[in-house]
């Protein structure tokens, strides 16, 4: 199956799972309304798709990965809602729609983001995963989101504005703010299907490099694409003087940097069967050439 068709088929399966979750969880809470809005406001669903592919590569079925993929998409959406707030990136457009705080007000948006973290944990805990898998995934969520990952990455990203950082520091920020969630997708998808530590380690390493490449492409698109195409602000990294590989290297070398990170992602899968990892390899190549 062609990679575009494959991604789109998995996205459809995930979107239906999300809709069914929201139908079952329906509540008249304004916080529920706000986070449902942000969860359903579009988005590539790259992380749930990655989680499904990791699960299949580890010998599982794509549907087994859906609760894990949903929990990760919730955490991702929390990070976007909070990142868009006036105190952080102060954005008015996300996924082609008004940001959560523009639509519902700042207080509700803060609480919607907060709620998504706990909903994500609840999705894992109420899934049919065996108890030890639930514990492993919840522990990994906590690990990748705290000061080793997402929150620290956001902090360093904000603190780096207006400063000239070397490539190693930029790579470190990318790893925390972006790769950790990709590692989580690979970990959770694989863990649902397998407890082979070597396999899981290789999968997670793929996520590390893929996340760096993804962030570099994101930063290149910020310069080369438009608000209409991206469905979010463009050209802002320059205005905010963000620490990116584009700032450090220029566009052409940033593309080479992203290509090299993609190759490293594929190298991380070495030794695993071509049939087992073919889709992950195709996904990495597709990601490098994405336009949104
Ligand atoms: C803890 C508030 C907080 C945030 C931490 C830095 C950060 C994480 C969030 C800010 C947004 C940002 C630049 C994240 C880096 C990863 C990234 C490129 C996110 C956008 O992901 P896409 O393109 O978005 O997959 P869609 O909308 O398609 O899901």
């Amino acid at each position: 199956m062609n990679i575009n068709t494959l991604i789109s088929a998995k996205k459809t399966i995930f979107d239906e799972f999300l809709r069914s979750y929201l139908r079952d969880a329906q509540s008249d809470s304004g916080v529920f309304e706000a986070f449902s809005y942000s969860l359903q406001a579009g988005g590539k669903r790259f992380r749930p798709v990655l989680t499904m592919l990791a699960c299949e590569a580890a010998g599982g079925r794509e549907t087994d990965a859906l609760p894990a993929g949903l929990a990760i998409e919730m955490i991702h959406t929390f990070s976007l809602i909070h990142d868009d707030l006036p105190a952080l990136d102060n954005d008015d457009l996300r996924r082609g729609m008004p940001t959560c705080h523009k639509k519902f007000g700042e207080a509700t948006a803060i609480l919607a983001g907060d709620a998504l973290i706990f909903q994500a944990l609840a999705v894992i805990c109420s899934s049919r995963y065996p108890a030890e898998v639930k514990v492993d995934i919840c522990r990994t969520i906590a690990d990748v989101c705290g000061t080793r990952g997402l929150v620290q990455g956001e902090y360093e990203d904000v603190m780096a504005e207006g400063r000239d950082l070397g490539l190693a520091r930029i790579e470190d920020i990318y790893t925390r703010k972006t790769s950790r969630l990709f590692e989580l997708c690979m970990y959770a998808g694989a863990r649902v299907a397998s407890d082979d530590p070597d396999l899981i380690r290789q999968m997670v390493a793929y996520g590390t490099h893929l996340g760096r490449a993804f962030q570099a492409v994101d930063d290149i698109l910020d310069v080369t694409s438009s608000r209409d195409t991206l469905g979010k602000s463009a050209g802002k990294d320059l205005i905010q003087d963000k620490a990116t590989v584009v700032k450090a290297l220029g566009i052409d070398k940033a593309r080479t940097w992203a290509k090299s990170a993609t190759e490293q992602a594929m190298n991380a899968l070495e030794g695993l069967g071509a049939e087992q990892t073919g889709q992950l390899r195709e996904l990495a190549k597709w990601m490098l050439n994405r336009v949104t």
Side-chain angles (χ1 to χ4, degrees):
M1 195 191 283
N2 159 299
I3 188 69
N4 285 305
T5 315
L6 181 85
I7 292 170
S8 144
K10 292 204 179 323
K11 181 175 182 297
T12 303
I13 292 169
F14 174 76
D15 281 336
E16 179 46 40
F17 186 72
L18 169 63
R19 271 194 296 277
S20 127
Y21 166 83
L22 291 173
R23 264 195 311 271
D24 293 347
Q26 183 69 41
S27 132
D28 58 7
S29 151
V31 173
F32 179 88
E33 189 191 350
F35 76 59
S36 301
Y37 166 85
S38 289
L39 277 171
Q40 294 190 288
K44 293 180 284 301
R45 309 306 192 201
F46 193 80
R47 292 155 192 79
V49 169
L50 187 58
T51 310
M52 286 189 243
L53 289 176
C55 185
E56 287 178 305
R61 292 168 305 182
E62 66 185 357
T63 46
D64 297 337
L66 286 169
L70 174 58
I72 297 168
E73 185 69 8
M74 285 172 156
I75 289 169
H76 168 56
T77 305
F78 131 72
S79 79
L80 299 180
I81 293 174
H82 279 199
D83 182 66
D84 290 335
L85 288 167
L88 290 166
D89 258 8
N90 192 18
D91 265 309
D92 58 5
L93 190 75
R94 173 67 68 180
R95 295 177 161 174
M97 310 270 278
T99 48
C100 193
H101 69 276
K102 282 286 166 192
K103 173 100 178 152
F104 296 97
E106 217 176 312
T108 305
I110 291 171
L111 295 171
D114 292 342
L116 279 172
I117 303 170
F118 301 105
Q119 298 298 135
L121 295 173
V123 165
I124 298 299
C125 293
S126 56
S127 71
R128 294 182 178 192
Y129 297 147
E132 63 275 18
V133 173
K134 290 180 184 175
V135 170
D136 284 350
I137 295 178
C138 286
R139 185 177 43 225
T140 308
I141 289 176
D143 183 41
V144 303
C145 291
T147 48
R148 211 181 69 82
L150 205 59
V151 169
Q152 179 69 18
E154 175 80 341
Y155 176 71
E156 288 176 14
D157 190 60
V158 171
M159 293 303 148
E161 286 174 20
R163 293 175 52 206
D164 285 323
L165 301 189
L167 262 187
R169 290 283 297 116
I170 294 171
E171 184 175 284
D172 186 54
I173 295 175
Y174 282 13
T175 305
R176 291 179 202 274
K177 80 172 184 178
T178 309
S179 294
R180 291 286 182 247
L181 275 195
F182 281 56
E183 291 171 358
L184 175 63
C185 295
M186 297 308 294
Y187 177 86
R191 181 67 188 90
V192 164
S194 166
D195 60 2
D196 175 348
D198 293 331
L199 173 67
I200 293 176
R201 209 170 298 122
Q202 278 187 274
M203 295 281 187
V204 169
Y206 167 92
T208 310
H209 297 295
L210 189 76
R212 290 175 186 156
F214 187 92
Q215 187 58 54
V217 172
D218 200 73
D219 293 340
I220 292 167
L221 290 174
D222 183 75
V223 177
T224 57
S225 190
S226 68
R227 183 177 158 99
D228 281 352
T229 305
L230 296 175
K232 62 180 182 179
S233 62
K236 230 176 145 207
D237 290 349
L238 196 62
I239 295 166
Q240 292 180 322
D241 199 13
K242 290 271 189 194
T244 71
V245 288
V246 177
K247 178 179 165 185
L249 299 173
I251 295 270
D252 288 345
K253 285 190 181 152
R255 281 193 219 284
T256 309
W257 192 92
K259 192 159 175 274
S260 156
T262 304
E263 280 158 10
Q264 289 177 65
M266 295 204 261
N267 291 343
L269 300 175
E270 243 166 44
L272 302 174
E275 199 167 317
Q276 189 182 5
T277 59
Q279 294 180 338
L280 288 170
R281 290 174 190 277
E282 285 302 310
L283 182 80
K285 284 187 246 164
W286 172 90
M287 200 280 303
L288 195 58
N289 295 313
R290 71 190 174 96
V291 290
T292 61

